[in-house]
């Protein structure tokens, strides 16, 4: 309706604009002025329109209906090859030059352009579709005081929109108010930075009160803030409202891509929309990716072009000389063309004529064929059942069809962690209580069971409050609980009390935990299932259902977690009045704080911890301490005093906490499994064997990342050393990198000394580092990485990192991920692959040569930006080792053969030039020239390019070393190219001179001469087609019915077309076009002709066969050996290589609740985050503490790498 | 098979006479600088002796060398539509025929450089037996491909069979002494379907070539076609080749099932055959010595 009106108002152009708006976005580009600051007034569209801010419409597509043809053609003619053919076409239209009919070029050219255009159009259509899908998501916009459903793309800067729980944030919003008290709201930023733990945002106090739509509709504050940028953790601006100024920070912002969680609703003011949002600013430009083969191909095409010009020049000089010496005299029979008065000019013309007839060395069908092959390979990936995830019903998808062969050349993989390597599910896996370890999967006889033969999980039906999703495999633990083992009871009591989880009970028994970190959730859920159900909490109490009996503990204090303490404690008073401190934390810290009495138990528990760590589990140690009433009173008083002193409050508190967490009694340890995706360690092991280096780039913490590194076998204890770089300044980082390098060099020097490698050491840094003997790993932190990526240090960093077997970068921002990839791309001539699942991986995925998106997880941004997508990390192995390797192999074989056949075809003209007065007379019939590349020889080589394989897929997984030729680029490089060319030229020489020798004086069996031009043409063409077909037969390693069909079909097509073209009927219709009438039947009936063809074929093929035979015998490739072994072993049972699942006697790694954030303890104690309903139940008055939110902020500010605006001032208003 | 090949060409006899006349001693030396329109034609006679009799049918060729019938501009300088009897092309020949498309504003039939340069020496063969010259019958029909004679080349059609009338409005090629409809007296060998003309129009692939000129048929089984002895070749020397260093030859040859004498193919087959055999032996040896190496080779991992 609205749109219709606009149409009527503004006439045709308005209509057109409206129409294009429906089709896609209108681009509003304020191109002239660079935005310096942004002014946004709430609820004032007219005012905001002045500034022409980008709308919330996202456009990743390239064309629309109107622009498609010109833009696409323009793009296609940027391709050197296409321009070149256009140029040829123009040349052919000049009669003096034209040595071939115009259709020999235009038919293939039009074919090529059309196919490419259709492909581009379909690609873009899907991009439009996905854009539309995002742009048409609904959101509620406050317009004129009423909430209206609007599409995302119609959201404007300055609108107030309402978000509901679990909705995606539509644009970058300034949080105004929310359903939660104090304008708090929780968001998940997985799409932005990959972290799945919840984060808190808070509205500034003045707007937090604007609860309903009528109040918000009157809100007319104006925000002046920074221009759009890509800094996710920084925002600076000021809100002007009612003559007051309020500073704004990142703490008040909801960014596009976040998801609202645990918050019923909230209102936000749109500050940045569409392409200006931080998410989109972070996603980088869409760049057209080319493979290295593509680039090589372009170089080679240029070389061939150079070669072509050389040949043209030689023949032109020949022509000039010939015309000068012979042609002049021959003028009585063949006068020069009109306008040609000198031999020199004739030579000049013949140069261009030869360029035309020799152009088939760079056949236009090359590019089409390459595209077709790639498309075929893409479909193989799409159709691969072994890459289909039945659970998620997602097949693998090759979203870009142009990169397949590069999959066979990958040297570096950059992987995200969360969602890619891990499932982001924490599972309570094992525990050790009082020196007894529980959780091993056991069979009837009590032996540890192997994987795969799991017995029934433990039955928790006795407990009505149990979480049905929780599974545990060791029944003895539940028995211990039921038998009333006090240690076990105390163990689970601790787990149910010592945490910062919030519970929600929608209906009786239907408990929902809001855990701030998944680790903690797993622990509390475990306790819940074993009968210690955490039911509810108030700021001063915790209610736990202990084996069916509700017990309310008085919560005296939460000694919160932080990075240095690596532990948290609670102090509770039981209903009996006993005061007890429960503590859980990192083993390294906690074991030192135990009472000496525990020594024996400690050593047993330590053994267990080692065992758990060896399995890659995250461990925590649990302990308790009974406190004397008097001692506690004294302590809590001191705590209260310390809390009220503003300066050095932190230190005082830390000291007090330290004091009380002492002399504790050990209860046991827990082991949580950060569930890896299926088959991750195996995949990584195989990829490592294939000489692919894997770097993990994650937004997670260092401990988490390292832990995952161990559990997926990237890091092992066999490694000589793991270097950790955590420096905060340039100097520190440089020093740490230098030390790491020195250590590696020392080690290799000591190794090398024995082998007199000394001279190698004196050469440059790179070669030394590449000759490193031991296995090293590098772990680097985000802030160190920021320094390491600076221009003067990046090379150092790269050298160090590349010398290591595994590299883990933690706490990295999306942009840093991209920078790391860019760095490797820049200095290493290696193919990089980035794999990730979240929006935070988008820039990395786009930067890498190949981007892989994990689909089926939340969010599709990564998939949309990716070149390939599938749902499991383990499929990467198949994608690279099978599909990638084959694609590469096929493409290389295809290119070799393609250049060969065209050189063999074209160079005949060159030799003929010497016998026809360099007149650019073609050897073949013009139809043969037109059809040779598109009909006679295209399909067999396509079939080979699509279907060929050297070893079957199982073998390429079994022998990852088979992947190496791709990385080293052995199968198609300049050397191989020259070999193909040489073979082509050799063939062309024989192809011309054998018929020449035979025909010179030969006559037919009816006495007529044999060596007429047309018979010669047919003989050469036929032997060429036969030789080239035999050659493709030799090259094909894997015969399918299609290969047979195409090869025999091509030969059949050749003869059919030959006889048709030379038939009477066609000649009668167009006598001037089909001059070869009767030629085929006359020539091919001659035995001499067939003898010649046979001779040519034998002489062309025998050397190739002999050479290959020799190579197979004397210097077999790995793939040859594998193939041979396979033949031998065919009847033997194939041996499966099982990956070792054996545990590792591991070093201990532990950390407390890894993705935990400090400040929640205080938040709980203050009761601010609790609903009024739950507060009402509480008999305790909320303690007046206004500083908790400050603490929360400060912690966040300190954690981020950049210092934001002084956020402490957020709730102080400044009078203007 | 090789023996078969050898036999194939073993009984092929041939004789080649160069009558260009560049050497001053040659009888044709006087005609060296003839031009197209010299009347009466310069004639010369060359005597030769056949050492062996030619048993089977004998084919008589003329050969030219250094003559670029395969030059691009030459090859395309024809109008197949006109030669196929198309009336509109007859009067309006293709542009490809330039500069032999029209003469004095009249279309040339047949147009183009190929037709214009048609070989027009006349060769006659006599057997000299005790100073008597017996002419040998030279058959001028059956020297062109059947498809050329019957499909590709056709005279213009119209009322009546009078070629002169059918070619009305056209003019003869510049170099020709007489128009195309006066090439021969027999109607089925005149005009565009004159076989000498057709043979000429089938351009050669290489600058040295031979074209079939006449057939000499064996008359009966008791007498060879050409007995050993003395012969003379009478030449009406019309075709100038000296200006571009061309050579003209007359060739007499018999043929086998494989065609004429072809030493190249035989030698090539023998050579390639022996190389292949030798190579096979060497490869077999190498395979036995080294080939087993990789049967037990363990694959590195």
């Amino acid at each position: 309706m609205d749109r219709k009106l606009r149409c009527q108002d503004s006439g045709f152009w308005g209509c057109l604009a409206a129409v294009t708006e429906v089709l896609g976005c209108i681009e509003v580009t304020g191109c002239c002025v660079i935005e310096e600051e942004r002014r946004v007034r709430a609820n004032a569209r007219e005012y905001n329109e002045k500034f022409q801010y980008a709308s919330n419409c996202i456009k990743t597509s390239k064309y629309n209906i109107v622009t498609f043809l010109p833009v696409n053609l323009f793009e296609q003619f940027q391709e050197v090859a296409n321009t070149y053919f256009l140029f040829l076409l123009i040349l052919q239209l000049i009669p003096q030059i034209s040595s071939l009919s115009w259709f020999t070029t235009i038919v293939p050219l039009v074919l090529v352009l059309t196919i490419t255009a259709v492909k581009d159009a379909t690609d873009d259509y899907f991009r439009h579709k996905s854009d539309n899908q995002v742009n048409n998501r609904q959101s509620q916009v406050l317009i004129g005081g009423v909430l209206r459903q609007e599409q995302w793309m119609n959201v404007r800067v300055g609108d107030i929109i309402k978000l509901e729980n679990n909705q995606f944030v539509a644009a970058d919003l300034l949080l105004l108010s929310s359903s939660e008290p104090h304008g708090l709201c929780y968001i998940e930023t997985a799409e932005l930075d990959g972290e799945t733990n919840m984060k808190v945002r808070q509205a500034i106090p003045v707007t937090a009160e604007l609860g309903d739509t009528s109040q918000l509709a009157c809100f007319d504050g104006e925000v002046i803030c920074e221009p759009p940028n890509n800094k996710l953790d920084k925002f600076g601006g000021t809100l002007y409202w009612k003559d007051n100024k309020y500073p704004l920070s990142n703490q008040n912002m909801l960014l596009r891509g976040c998801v609202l969680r645990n918050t019923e609703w909230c209102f936000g003011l749109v500050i940045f929309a569409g392409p200006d949002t931080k998410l989109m600013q972070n996603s980088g430009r869409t760049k057209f990716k080319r493979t290295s083969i593509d680039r090589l191909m372009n170089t080679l095409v240029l070389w061939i072009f150079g070669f072509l010009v050389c040949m043209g020049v030689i023949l032109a000089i020949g022509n000039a000389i010939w015309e000068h010496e012979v042609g002049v005299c021959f003028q009585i029979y063949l006068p020069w063309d009109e306008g040609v008065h000198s031999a020199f000019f004739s030579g000049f013309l013949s140069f261009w004529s030869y360029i035309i007839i020799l152009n088939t060395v760079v056949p236009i069908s090359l590019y089409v064929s390459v595209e077709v092959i790639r498309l075929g390979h893409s479909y193989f990936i799409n159709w691969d059942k072994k890459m289909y995830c039945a659970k998620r019903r997602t097949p693998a998808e090759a979203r870009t069809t142009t990169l397949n062969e590069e999959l066979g050349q990958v040297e570096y993989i950059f992987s995200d962690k969360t969602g890619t390597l891990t499932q982001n599910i924490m599972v309570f896996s094992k525990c050790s209580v009082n020196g007894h370890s529980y959780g091993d999967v056991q069979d009837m006889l009590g032996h540890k069971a192997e994987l795969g033969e799991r017995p029934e999980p433990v039955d928790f039906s006795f407990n009505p409050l149990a979480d049905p999703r929780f599974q545990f495999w060791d029944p003895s633990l539940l028995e211990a609980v039921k038998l009333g083992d006090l240690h076990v009871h105390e163990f689970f009591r601790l787990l149910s009390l010592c945490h910062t989880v919030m519970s929600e009970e929608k209906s009786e028994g239907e408990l929902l935990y809001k855990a701030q970190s998944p680790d903690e959730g797993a622990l509390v859920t475990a306790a819940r299932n074993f009968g210690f159900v955490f039911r509810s909490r108030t700021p001063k109490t915790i209610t736990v259902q202990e084996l069916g009996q509700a017990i309310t503990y008085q919560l005296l204090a939460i000694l919160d977690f932080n990075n240095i303490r690596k532990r948290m404690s609670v102090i509770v008073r039981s209903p009996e009045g006993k005061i007890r401190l429960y503590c859980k934390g990192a083993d390294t810290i906690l074991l030192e704080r135990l009472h000496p009495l525990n020594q024996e138990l400690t050593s047993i528990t330590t053994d267990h911890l080692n065992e758990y760590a060896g399995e890659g589990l995250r461990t925590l140690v649990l302990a308790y301490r009974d406190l004397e009433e008097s001692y506690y009173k004294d302590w809590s008083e001191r705590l209260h005093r310390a809390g009220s002193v503003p300066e050095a409050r932190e230190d005082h508190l830390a000291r007090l906490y330290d004091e009380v967490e002492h002399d504790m009694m050990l209860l046991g340890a827990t082991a949580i499994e950060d569930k890896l995706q299926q088959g991750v360690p195996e995949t990584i092991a195989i990829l490592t064997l294939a000489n692919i280096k894997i770097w993990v780039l994650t937004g997670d913490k260092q401990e988490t990342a390292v832990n995952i590194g161990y559990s997926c076998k990237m890091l092992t204890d066999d490694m000589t050393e793991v270097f950790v770089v955590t420096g905060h300044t340039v100097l520190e980082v440089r020093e740490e990198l230098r030390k790491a390098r020195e250590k590696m060099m020392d080690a290799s020097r000591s190794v090398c000394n024995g082998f007199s490698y000394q001279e190698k050491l004196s050469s440059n840094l790179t070669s030394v580092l590449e000759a490193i003997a031991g296995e090293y790993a590098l772990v680097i932190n985000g802030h160190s990485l920021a320094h390491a990526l600076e221009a003067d240090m990046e090379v150092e960093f790269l050298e160090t990192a590349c010398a290591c077997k595994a590299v883990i970068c933690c706490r990295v921002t999306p942009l840093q991920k991209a920078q790391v990839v860019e760095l490797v791309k820049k200095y290493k001539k290696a193919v990089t692959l980035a794999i990730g699942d979240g929006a935070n991986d988008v820039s990395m995925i786009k930067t890498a040569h190949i981007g892989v998106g994990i689909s089926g997880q939340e969010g599709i941004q990564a998939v949309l930006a990716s070149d390939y997508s599938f749902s499991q990390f383990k499929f990467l192995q198949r994608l690279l080792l099978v599909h990638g390797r084959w694609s590469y192999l096929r493409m290389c074989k295809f290119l070799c053969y393609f250049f060969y056949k065209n050189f063999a075809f074209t160079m005949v003209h060159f030799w003929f030039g010497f016998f026809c007065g360099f007149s650019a007379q073609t050897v073949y019939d013009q139809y043969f020239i037109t059809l040779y590349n598109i009909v006679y020889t295209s399909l067999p080589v396509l079939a080979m390019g699509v279907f060929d394989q050297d070893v079957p897929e199982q073998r390429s997984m079994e022998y990852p070393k088979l992947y190496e030729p791709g990385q080293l680029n052995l199968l198609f490089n300049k050397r191989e190219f020259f070999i193909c060319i040489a073979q082509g030229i050799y063939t062309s020489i024989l192809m011309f001179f054998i018929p020449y020798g035979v025909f010179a004086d030969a006559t037919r069996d009816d006495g007529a001469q044999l060596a007429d031009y047309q018979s010669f043409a047919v003989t050469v063409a036929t032997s060429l087609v036969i030789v080239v077909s035999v050659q493709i037969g030799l090259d094909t390693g894997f015969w399918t019915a299609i290969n047979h069909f195409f090869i025999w079909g091509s030969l059949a097509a050749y003869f059919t077309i030959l006889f048709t073209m030379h038939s009477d009927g066609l000649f009668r219709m167009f006598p001037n076009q089909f001059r070869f009438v009767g030629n085929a039947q006359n020539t091919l009936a001659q035995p001499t002709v067939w003898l010649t063809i046979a001779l040519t074929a034998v002489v062309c093929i025998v050397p190739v066969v002999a050479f290959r035979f020799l190579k197979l015998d004397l210097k077999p490739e790995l793939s040859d050996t594998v193939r041979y072994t396979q033949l031998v072993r065919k009847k033997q049972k194939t041996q499966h290589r099982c990956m070792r699942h054996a545990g590792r006697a591991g070093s201990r790694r532990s950390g407390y609740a890894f993705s935990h954030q400090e400040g929640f303890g205080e938040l709980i104690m203050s009761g601010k985050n609790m609903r009024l309903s739950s507060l009402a139940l509480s008999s305790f008055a909320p303690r007046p503490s206004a500083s908790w939110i400050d603490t929360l902020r400060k912690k966040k500010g300190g954690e981020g790498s950049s210092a934001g605006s002084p956020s402490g001032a957020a709730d102080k208003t400044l009078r203007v | 098979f090789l023996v078969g090949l050898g036999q194939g060409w073993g009984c092929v006899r041939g004789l080649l006479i160069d009558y260009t006349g560049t050497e001053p001693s040659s009888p044709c030396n006087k005609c060296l600088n003839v031009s197209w329109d010299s009347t009466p034609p310069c004639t010369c006679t060359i005597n030769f002796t056949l050492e062996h009799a030619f048993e089977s049918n004998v084919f008589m060729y003329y050969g030219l060398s250094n003559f670029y019938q395969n030059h691009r501009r030459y090859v395309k300088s024809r109008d197949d539509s006109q030669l196929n009897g198309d009336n509109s092309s007859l009067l309006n020949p293709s542009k490809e025929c330039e500069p032999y498309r029209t003469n004095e504003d009249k279309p040339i039939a047949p147009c183009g450089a190929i037709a214009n340069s048609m070989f027009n020496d006349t060769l006659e063969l006599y057997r000299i037996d005790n100073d008597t010259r017996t002419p040998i019958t030279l058959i001028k029909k059956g020297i062109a491909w059947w498809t050329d004679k019957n499909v590709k080349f056709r005279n213009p059609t119209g009322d009546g069979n009078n070629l002169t009338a059918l070619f009305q409005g056209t003019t003869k090629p510049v170099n020709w002494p007489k128009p195309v409809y006066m090439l021969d007296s027999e109607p089925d060998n005149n005009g565009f379907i004159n076989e000498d003309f057709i043979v000429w129009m089938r351009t050669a692939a290489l600058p040295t070539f031979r074209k079939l000129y006449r057939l000499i048929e064996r008359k009966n089984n008791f007498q060879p076609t050409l007995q050993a002895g003395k012969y003379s070749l009478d030449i009406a020397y019309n075709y100038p080749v000296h200006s571009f260093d061309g050579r003209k030859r007359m060739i007499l040859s018999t043929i086998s099932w494989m065609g004429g004498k072809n030493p190249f193919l035989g030698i090539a087959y023998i050579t390639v055959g022996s190389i292949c055999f030798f190579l096979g032996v060497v490869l077999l040896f190498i395979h036995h010595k080294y080939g087993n190496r990789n049967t037990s080779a363990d694959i590195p991992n």
Side-chain angles (χ1 to χ4, degrees), chain A residues 367-539:
Chain A
Y367 290 91
V368 192
S369 310
V370 166
E371 293 297 310
V372 170
I373 288 175
R374 285 173 175 163
L375 195 70
H377 295 171
S378 305
Y379 277 108
F380 287 153
I381 292 173
N382 293 350
W383 293 334
D384 193 341
K385 278 194 185 142
K386 289 182 184 156
M387 282 164 66
Y388 175 77
C389 180
K391 206 166 73 189
R392 294 214 187 83
R393 295 205 181 154
T394 37
E397 191 190 353
R399 299 173 41 83
T400 312
T401 54
T402 54
L403 298 174
N404 295 314
E405 75 270 4
E406 197 132 89
L407 288 173
Q409 298 184 281
V410 174
E411 263 183 82
Y412 289 90
I413 293 179
F414 299 91
S415 173
D416 177 39
K417 187 191 80 66
T418 319
T420 307
L421 297 177
T422 65
Q423 297 178 355
N424 202 29
I425 297 173
M426 302 294 166
V427 177
F428 179 78
S429 161
K430 286 181 184 177
C431 63
S432 160
V433 184
N434 197 26
H436 192 292
S437 175
Y438 300 94
D440 277 325
V441 184
Q442 290 175 338
D443 60 19
M444 292 305 170
L445 300 167
H447 296 301
K448 282 191 183 180
E450 289 299 317
L451 249 92
E453 33 182 303
R454 288 197 148 173
E456 286 292 292
V458 176
D459 181 20
F460 290 109
S461 56
F462 77 96
N463 182 358
L465 290 170
D467 185 342
R469 281 167 302 175
F470 181 83
Q471 286 185 322
F472 199 73
W473 309 93
D474 187 355
S476 58
L477 184 58
L478 187 61
E479 272 161 36
V481 172
K482 283 179 176 167
L483 289 174
D485 185 330
L486 285 180
H487 287 287
V488 177
H489 282 194
E490 200 60 19
F491 178 87
F492 283 117
R493 189 171 293 127
L494 187 153
L495 291 183
S496 64
L497 289 172
C498 179
H499 56 77
T500 53
V501 172
M502 303 291 292
S503 75
E504 202 176 302
E505 200 161 354
K506 289 243 162 105
S507 62
E508 180 65 29
E510 200 188 314
L511 268 176
L512 205 69
Y513 290 150
K514 286 187 205 166
Q516 198 242 131
S517 73
D519 317 46
E520 211 164 41
L523 289 176
V524 180
T525 310
R528 167 179 169 181
N529 277 41
F530 282 102
F532 288 78
V533 189
F534 162 64
R535 287 204 79 153
S536 63
R537 69 156 82 233
T538 68

Side-chain angles (χ1 to χ4, degrees), chain A residues 861-885:
Chain A
Q861 254 100 337
V863 172
L864 287 182
S866 68
D867 305 308
Y868 298 90
S869 71
F870 42 73
S871 56
Q872 291 268 307
F873 181 78
K874 64 173 179 183
F875 294 148
L876 190 61
Q877 171 187 351
R878 198 173 158 77
L879 183 73
L880 298 186
L881 296 189
V882 178
H883 290 289
R885 208 181 84 81

